[in-house]
């Protein structure tokens, strides 16, 4: 975990541990027992920081197909990839094998356990560089969800990829520049 990730971890912990936050989701509140993660204003902040935690890593996983494509396009310099080259022009993206909303739900199961929050973020710290073509292979039902029988404890963080016949990345590539979500 690098210094930026350490600070983002503290921000996530601060958000989910905000005094009085949970009382707003009681039976008699305007949100009537909805999960905190379902309230859009709060959801946005939590999901954004959860995603940025892993996007702040100094390396990302990359598929062989994507690596070959990026090298052919001249986008890999000295073994590293500039984050802001992602997008429509170069047809590649950064994908979270465990979607941010799934990670946030796991964190919110026990928001006061700092060590558990840290472990969840570290274990799911798996941003993967994919071509748009590869990303389109993700089963539509799995874009924001894990397969029905998946559990965090199983440790199969690439279950969506397996179910969608997407290559499991086998190496890392250095990344630099501003974080791009």
């Amino acid at each position: 975990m690098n210094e930026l990730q350490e600070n983002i971890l503290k921000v996530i912990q601060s958000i989910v541990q905000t005094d009085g936050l949970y009382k707003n989701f009681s039976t008699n509140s305007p949100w009537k027992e909805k999960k905190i993660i379902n309230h859009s204003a709060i959801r946005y902040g939590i999901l954004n920081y959860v995603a940025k935690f892993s996007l702040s890593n100094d390396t990302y996983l990359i598929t062989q197909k994507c690596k070959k494509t990026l090298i052919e396009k001249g986008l890999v310099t000295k073994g590293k990839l500039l984050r802001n080259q992602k997008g429509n022009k170069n047809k590649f993206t950064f994908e979270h094998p465990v979607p941010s909303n799934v990670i946030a739900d796991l964190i919110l199961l026990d928001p006061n356990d700092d060590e558990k929050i840290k472990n969840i973020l570290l274990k799911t710290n798996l941003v993967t560089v994919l071509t748009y073509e590869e990303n389109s292979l993700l089963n539509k039902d799995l874009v924001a969800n894990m397969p029905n029988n998946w559990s965090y404890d199983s440790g199969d963080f690439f279950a969506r990829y397996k179910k969608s016949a997407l290559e499991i990345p086998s190496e890392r590539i250095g990344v630099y520049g501003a974080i791009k979500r």
Side-chain angles (χ1 to χ4, degrees), residues 29-98:
S29 77
W31 300 314
K32 301 201 188 311
E33 295 185 325
K34 287 184 179 178
K35 291 190 303 184
I36 291 172
I37 197 70
N38 288 338
H39 188 275
S40 62
I42 297 167
R43 177 183 175 86
Y44 175 82
I46 295 170
L47 294 182
N48 194 38
Y49 281 111
V50 165
K52 289 194 180 218
F53 177 85
S54 52
L55 287 168
S56 298
N57 203 339
D58 300 321
T59 64
Y60 295 167
L61 292 161
I62 189 166
T63 63
Q64 293 299 311
K65 178 179 181 172
C66 187
K67 183 178 180 183
K68 181 180 178 207
T69 300
L70 297 181
I71 289 172
E72 287 172 358
K73 289 184 175 191
L75 299 175
V76 178
T77 307
K78 296 181 183 175
K80 291 189 172 189
L81 176 65
L82 180 61
R83 287 183 180 104
N84 74 4
Q85 293 177 324
K86 161 193 136 154
N88 284 331
K89 180 181 177 186
N90 293 312
K91 307 255 186 264
F92 74 92
T93 192
F94 304 139
E95 210 281 323
H96 300 261
V98 178

Side-chain angles (χ1 to χ4, degrees), residues 83-149:
R83 287 183 180 104
N84 74 4
Q85 293 177 324
K86 161 193 136 154
N88 284 331
K89 180 181 177 186
N90 293 312
K91 307 255 186 264
F92 74 92
T93 192
F94 304 139
E95 210 281 323
H96 300 261
V98 178
S100 299
N101 64 313
V102 173
I103 298 168
D105 279 343
L106 290 167
I107 288 170
L108 289 166
L109 290 173
D110 199 356
N112 293 310
D113 188 335
D114 287 344
E115 197 61 30
K116 188 172 183 180
I117 292 170
K118 179 180 175 181
N119 287 335
I120 290 168
L121 290 169
L122 288 173
K123 286 183 178 181
T124 58
N125 187 12
L126 302 166
V127 170
T128 302
V129 187
L130 299 175
T131 65
Y132 275 14
E133 180 184 341
E134 289 173 306
N135 196 50
S136 72
L137 294 175
L138 274 176
N139 181 310
K140 300 298 178 214
D141 296 330
L142 299 176
V143 170
N145 302 298
M146 293 302 281
N148 287 334
N149 296 331

